[in-house]
Amino acid sequence: MISSTTMAKRAAPALACIGLLAVWQVASLVLKSDSFPTAIEAIRAIPDILGDRESLINILASLRRMAIGFSIAVLVSMPLGLLMGRSRAVAAFFNPLLMVIYPVPKAALMPIIMLWLGVGDITKTLVIFLGVSLPVIYHSFEGAKAVEEKMLWSGAAMGLSPLQRLVRIVLPAALPEILTGCRTGLVLALITMITSEMIARQSGAGNILFNALDMGQYDTVYAMIIIVGAMGICLDAVFERVRARLVRWSEPQFDLPLSFS
Amino acid sequence: MKVVPSRLSEWVRPVTLQQPACAIIEIERVSQVFQTSARKDHLALSDISLTIDEGAFVSILGPSGCGKSTLLYIVGGFVNPSSGAAKMKGQAITGPGPDRGPVFQEFALFPWKTVLGNVMYGPRQQGVRTNEAEAQSRALIEMVGLKGYENFYPKELSGGMKQRVALARTLAYHPEVLLMDEPFGALDAHTRTRLQNDLLNIWERDRKTVLFVTHSVDEAVFLSDKVVMMSKSPGRIRQVIDIDLPRPRRRNELLLDPRYQKYVVDIERMFDESDEAGSPS
């Protein structure tokens, strides 16, 4: 029993994708450029990439770095942001540091990091870590700052220690905001993952893309762009599901209070 | 032969003082200074001394900005006074504790917890076993009139229902004193009346000590044994009035009672007088 409007809603993303591919196909046929393959050619190249053991290992290695960088960043940034939000001293110490790092493109730091740590996994993971950290810190900070004082007082009256209040009141109360930061962080993780592999060309999904570009295999280049894009969409969709489940209590669909005193 | 005790201490046996009404909270010469943005000190509370007897329903009544909530926060241990001290059962109050349970105007419920989860939070923190805490909490939820709403989230509830949950959540950990900070201030008139009635019904069962902050004269007279009138800038106690009205109180009887009406009119007149005397402009 699905109404036509919900059908339309569900079909909309698919229609948008098909529309984009159609425009691409037509544009490519009109332009007839070697460096601009048609959508169909690019899509045909996808199974070749995903079927190739070497490529698959590369992509999985990329994803692994991304997962590690993202996880460590969240584990470090979230407590730091929460502490900053609840302690003026901690905020006063870290805020200037973050202000300096914030506008710097993390990829711009890569050459320096490569000098210290080489071109291996550590460097790339570190860059992903840096890219993810800032939005997570910022949103955790804002979320913790916004926690109602009286909620903490209520907890204190029940006998919660300062640390318990941070973990059991500030953390859940700020969770919707923290997860907004994590979602931004996830997209940035994907971006920094590809850029890091573009700069330190050794392995990974970015490496496949840029190698193909060097060799003029344009269908592979575009296929990789589609794969990376699809990974982004899938990761975001999975994350959004988890997020929606975790903060169900704050979703606007609950915004219609019952009328009863 | 008469045996004469050799020492005085043997004559005077230590007697445990048992007064009919025992002081549970003592506020001794409390002053509170806040620093305003312009580096000027603002005296929010000036030299407040007040004793609250166990089991009494005491209202602190005053205009907004007279520091009445601050006084309540000092008793709660959420704010430290600039000078003076508050004591609970003779012990200096140094911080919040489960013996003093706050109920705030803003409800301050945990939005990620259901009604049941909110009410169970205190008992669980106190180490009560889950089954037991749940049974007690369900009974309390029923008592505040929210049976059937156990699994609702605060966001799904109206203001009046939220305040019922907040009251149940605080009662759940058995505080000796309830600290109510304009609890019905954010509610519409009808809801407010219903909650006042229900609060009185609940209170009359176990007669916990209640310190109740309000700016409504009717509310203070209707609920309290004692009304502490405060004036502002600086916040001072103007007068303490005993409300000598029979209990249990029923609104429909009380509103027609001339004694009730006289209390309300007298208190309102006193506030009007102080406004005229105290405002130079």
Side-chain angles (χ1 to χ4, degrees), chain A residues 2 4 7 12 30-31 41 44 50 60 80 91-92 100 105 111 114 131 136 144 181 183 212 214 221 235:
Chain A
I2 304 166
S4 55
M7 279 268 280
V30 170
L31 290 172
E41 280 167 343
R44 273 206 194 124
L50 294 182
L60 288 176
L80 178 60
V100 172
M114 276 160 66
V136 178
R183 198 175 171 187
D214 288 348
V221 172
L235 282 171

Side-chain angles (χ1 to χ4, degrees), chain B residues 70-86:
Chain B
T70 307
L71 188 60
L72 192 86
Y73 301 158
I74 288 171
V75 175
F78 309 121
V79 171
N80 287 322
S82 308
S83 68

